[in-house]
Structures are given as C-alpha cells and as structure tokens.
C-alpha cells in the first residue's frame, strides 16, 4: 500500500514537471504558428511540423533525423532516426531515402508542414517524393551562409526568397529552433555510430 502511494506521488510530480516544461516551451514561440500560416499563406495553422536533417563527415556514418513539433512544441517521443548505409550517394539522395522510409509508416500522422535544412535542391527533392505519392504538403527550406548560419527561407508555395531577418520574430525563432533541433538530433546519432565503429577497431 505504501509503495502504491509513493508511486502515485511520483507520477503527480512527473506530470507537474511535464506541464511546466510544456508551458516554458510554449512561451518561447508565442504567435509563431499564426505568423507561419500568414507569412507562408498556408490554408491552415500547422499543427504538426516535421524537420529533417542529414549528418555525416565526408559521407561516412550518415544519419537522417526527423524531429516533430506539435503546436510549436518539440514532441521528442516522435523523433525518429534513419541510419543510412549507402555512403556513396549524395545529400539529396540520402534525404530522398529518409523521406521515402518515413512515408512508408502509414501509422505516423502526416505533417502539416515540412522543414528541411538546405536550399532549392533539398526542397525540390522532398517535393518530388511527395508528388510521387500524390501528397500536397507545404515544404520550407532553411538555407545557410558560408559560416553555416541560417539566412534565407524558401517555400514550395511561392518563388519568394525570404530573408530570415525580415521574418516576424516569433516565426523566425520557431523555424531556427526546429532546424537546430533536427541538426542536434542527427549529429548525436552520427557521433554514436562513429564512436561505436572506433570502439570496434580498438577491440
């Protein structure tokens, strides 16, 4: 009986921490989703946003990451990693493989918006995969400068090149947060695979 009471108290504290955490995360991006919908001229406010990134060093130990933001909040339980074994193909081919493998999971809800790290080539790669499956999902691509700093936003819905500094602050913060989270997640998987390979060589 005492053990059950302790367990109930523990769950109450965990739930309270979860609620507080979600409130803190929500406060980071007030109005961001509405700004996204207005700026990109989306037909609906995006509920589920998926961000994609490919991580590797000179093609080895490539990993693709999918992160999910639900109502502007990271939904880490739905993050997914895709190990890429063929290192001879380029970034766009690896991105195509990741998205195709993701779309094979009919049990996963489809996103209202996709964000990819890259430029026109990455955006067009995703659009071709979606078109092949007759899916009409808006896609945005975050381009980087020579210092690997985000500077432009491309959209599949128009030909406009948006300067990141010109975007509404909340929208800009959310977009960068999704991109950063996808990169962090993919790099983490790359490092784990690389370290595992090194340990195997040492042993």
């Amino acid at each position: 009986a005492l053990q059950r009471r302790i367990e109930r108290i523990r769950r109450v504290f965990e739930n309270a921490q979860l609620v507080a955490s979600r409130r803190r995360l929500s406060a980071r991006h007030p109005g961001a989703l509405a700004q996204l919908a207005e700026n990109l001229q989306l037909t609906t406010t995006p509920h589920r946003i998926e961000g994609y990134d490919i991580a590797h060093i000179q093609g080895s130990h490539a990993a693709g990451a999918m992160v999910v933001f639900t109502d502007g909040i990271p939904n880490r339980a739905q993050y997914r990693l895709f190990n890429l074994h063929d290192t001879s193909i380029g970034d766009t081919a690896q991105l195509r493989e990741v998205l195709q493998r993701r779309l094979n999971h009919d049990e996963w809800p489809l996103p209202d918006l996709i964000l990819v790290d890259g430029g026109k080539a990455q955006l067009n790669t995703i659009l071709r995969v979606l078109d092949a499956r007759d899916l009409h999902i808006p896609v945005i691509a975050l381009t980087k400068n020579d210092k690997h700093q985000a500077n432009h936003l491309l959209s599949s819905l128009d030909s406009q090149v948006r300067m990141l500094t010109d975007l509404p602050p909340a929208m800009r913060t959310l977009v960068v947060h999704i991109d950063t989270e996808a990169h962090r997640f993919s790099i983490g998987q790359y490092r784990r695979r690389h370290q595992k390979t090194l340990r195997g060589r040492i042993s």
Side-chain angles (χ1 to χ4, degrees), residues 62 83-88 97 101 193:
N83 289 327
L84 302 168
H85 304 289
D86 187 354
T87 59
S88 65
E97 178 188 334
R101 285 166 59 184
R193 291 188 69 196

Side-chain angles (χ1 to χ4, degrees), residues 64-95:
M66 178 188 89
V67 299
V68 178
F69 277 55
T70 304
D71 294 329
I73 299 171
N75 191 339
R76 292 186 175 87
Q78 297 191 31
Y79 286 15
R80 296 293 182 268
L81 286 163
F82 303 87
N83 289 327
L84 302 168
H85 304 289
D86 187 354
T87 59
S88 65
I89 59 178
D91 284 2
T92 54
Q94 290 171 343
L95 178 62

Side-chain angles (χ1 to χ4, degrees), residues 48-155:
R48 179 186 174 96
I49 303 174
E50 292 181 1
Y52 290 87
D53 185 60
I54 305 294
H56 59 75
I57 294 180
Q58 296 180 339
S60 64
H61 305 289
M66 178 188 89
V67 299
V68 178
F69 277 55
T70 304
D71 294 329
I73 299 171
N75 191 339
R76 292 186 175 87
Q78 297 191 31
Y79 286 15
R80 296 293 182 268
L81 286 163
F82 303 87
N83 289 327
L84 302 168
H85 304 289
D86 187 354
T87 59
S88 65
I89 59 178
D91 284 2
T92 54
Q94 290 171 343
L95 178 62
R96 181 172 62 247
E97 178 188 334
V98 166
L99 191 62
Q100 287 171 338
R101 285 166 59 184
R102 179 264 177 267
L103 292 174
N104 287 337
H105 289 273
D106 295 330
E107 72 277 16
W108 299 353
L110 288 173
D112 303 303
L113 180 67
I114 291 174
L115 183 148
V116 63
D117 182 88
K120 195 74 173 177
Q122 284 76 15
L123 187 144
N124 286 336
T125 294
I126 289 185
L127 286 180
R128 283 192 288 270
V129 174
L130 294 175
D131 288 343
R133 300 186 183 228
D134 198 27
L135 294 173
H136 305 284
I137 301 170
V139 183
I140 54 177
L142 194 61
T143 69
K144 306 289 177 63
N145 59 22
D146 294 338
K147 297 180 180 179
H148 205 66
Q149 297 170 330
N151 59 356
H152 292 97
L153 191 70
L154 308 178
S155 170

